[in-house]
Amino acid sequence: MSQDIELPPIVLTLAGSDPTGGAGIQADILTLASMGCHPLSVITAVTVQDTRGVQDFMTLDGEWVLDQARAVLEDMPVAAFKVGMIGSVDNVMAIAELAADYPDIPLIYDPVLASGRGDELSRDELVHVLRDVLLPQVTVLTPNSMEARRLAANDEDDEDSITLADCAKRLTRLGCDYVFITGTHEATRDVENRLYDRSGEVRVDTWPRLAGSFHGSGCTLASAVAGLIARGLAVPEAVKEAQDYTWQALRYGFRPGMGQYIPDRLFWANDTAEPEEGQQAADKDQDAKR
């Protein structure tokens, strides 16, 4: 094969494995591939879960995480890092060491602190270490509003009382270049997503709130941001395009099990009926009969 063929942008994702394919590193791989990128994958944790929630997880040793990443980084040119579930302080330290060794590679971090159902996936100690060693190296942080408050809160704070603007201010002061806070957990009619940098709010985007509960929406959004940055878009434009992609993936989401919907990350390639006429409507009819 000719060596003149242009390489697709290569993105290294470090995340936990989700056997449902709805979230975690499987979601990252699907999303990055749909962005026209070649995904490299480093496993940080193995989970026991279904579409209803996480039953258990086991983190890999930090040295294993580092060895996986260094093997591919020494072999291929990587345009962006995407980090999801980390799972342990040991792994935070390993990923922070890796990021420090490759400071020119943008790092997009989706701080997975709980599952979509609310299952705890991190401890307070891990959050403190994140603030100290990893957040200062993050290009784009993509928390939902609950994660933003938890990461930004001081010990004496009531997390519920912190405004999202204050969260963003604190998180950028810790070193994040951009903080992109999603508003799906806020009590608003539409979903309001806000991008901040160290000077304040950069953009706000409003999206119609979709019915249902989704598994892997945050992974999809962060991976899309990483893929678009790897393709050369500036952060504000990458964030806007990633939201559109994710909203469409959720709109065409399907429910393969008894729990949450899974985004259809290949909606653009499938001959898919409008959601109202397709899987979501069928699922609602089935639920009504139970």
Side-chain angles (χ1 to χ4, degrees):
M1 182 176 291
S2 172
Q3 296 301 308
D4 296 331
I5 295 175
E6 185 177 355
L7 289 173
I10 297 173
V11 178
L12 173 59
T13 173
L14 304 96
S17 176
D18 174 9
T20 75
I25 210 154
Q26 287 84 352
D28 297 346
I29 290 168
L30 281 168
T31 302
L32 289 166
S34 74
M35 295 283 111
C37 297
H38 177 67
L40 311 178
S41 58
V42 168
I43 305 293
T44 60
V46 177
T47 68
V48 178
Q49 64 178 297
D50 57 20
T51 58
R52 292 171 294 188
V54 178
Q55 286 79 53
D56 203 355
F57 68 93
M58 178 183 69
T59 57
L60 270 69
D61 182 83
E63 285 300 317
W64 272 85
V65 172
L66 269 179
D67 288 347
Q68 289 179 80
R70 291 196 188 284
V72 292
L73 281 162
E74 291 169 6
D75 184 43
M76 290 176 271
V78 169
F81 291 135
K82 186 272 177 182
V83 178
M85 178 186 176
I86 297 176
S88 71
V89 169
D90 190 33
N91 283 349
V92 174
M93 300 304 294
I95 294 170
E97 178 183 331
L98 190 73
D101 288 344
Y102 294 87
D104 295 332
I105 299 179
L107 192 157
I108 295 79
Y109 176 36
D110 173 25
V112 181
L113 306 180
S115 71
R117 188 179 66 172
D119 306 293
E120 185 74 11
L121 298 176
S122 66
R123 305 183 307 277
D124 288 341
E125 179 190 7
L126 185 147
V127 172
H128 286 295
V129 176
L130 280 172
R131 292 174 184 156
D132 291 339
V133 302
L134 187 59
L135 294 192
Q137 302 187 74
V138 168
T139 308
V140 186
L141 183 70
T142 65
N144 61 40
S145 56
M146 295 190 299
E147 292 163 340
R149 290 187 173 101
R150 185 171 178 191
L151 286 171
N154 297 319
D155 292 338
E156 67 274 11
D157 285 328
D158 175 4
E159 290 184 20
D160 293 335
S161 68
I162 310 172
T163 69
L164 296 180
D166 282 341
C167 289
K169 184 181 295 184
R170 294 183 186 187
L171 293 168
T172 54
R173 283 177 178 171
L174 287 174
C176 299
D177 292 336
Y178 290 90
V179 177
F180 178 47
I181 303 177
T182 58
T184 52
H185 292 86
E186 298 297 285
T188 55
R189 186 188 67 176
D190 293 325
V191 175
E192 296 178 358
N193 300 328
R194 298 176 184 273
L195 178 68
Y196 301 86
D197 66 10
R198 290 164 192 170
S199 65
E201 189 174 277
V202 176
R203 65 177 304 136
V204 56
D205 296 289
T206 302
W207 300 88
R209 188 177 291 276
L210 295 167
S213 175
F214 295 91
H215 183 56
S217 56
C219 306
T220 305
L221 180 60
S223 294
V225 172
L228 290 162
I229 289 174
R231 295 195 67 85
L233 271 66
V235 170
E237 288 70 33
V239 163
K240 175 62 171 65
E241 293 297 323
Q243 288 176 84
D244 182 68
Y245 168 83
T246 303
W247 191 85
Q248 295 292 346
L250 297 176
R251 179 172 174 255
Y252 283 95
F254 55 95
R255 190 183 180 201
M258 296 181 285
Q260 295 174 303
Y261 288 87
I262 288 177
D264 183 356
R265 301 169 185 94
L266 300 178
F267 67 88
W268 51 269
N270 296 332
D271 185 15
T272 308
E274 284 296 306
E276 294 78 13
E277 302 170 7
Q279 186 65 46
Q280 292 193 30
D283 288 338
K284 289 172 184 175
D285 290 343
Q286 186 64 32
D287 286 343
K289 295 174 184 177
R290 289 175 181 165

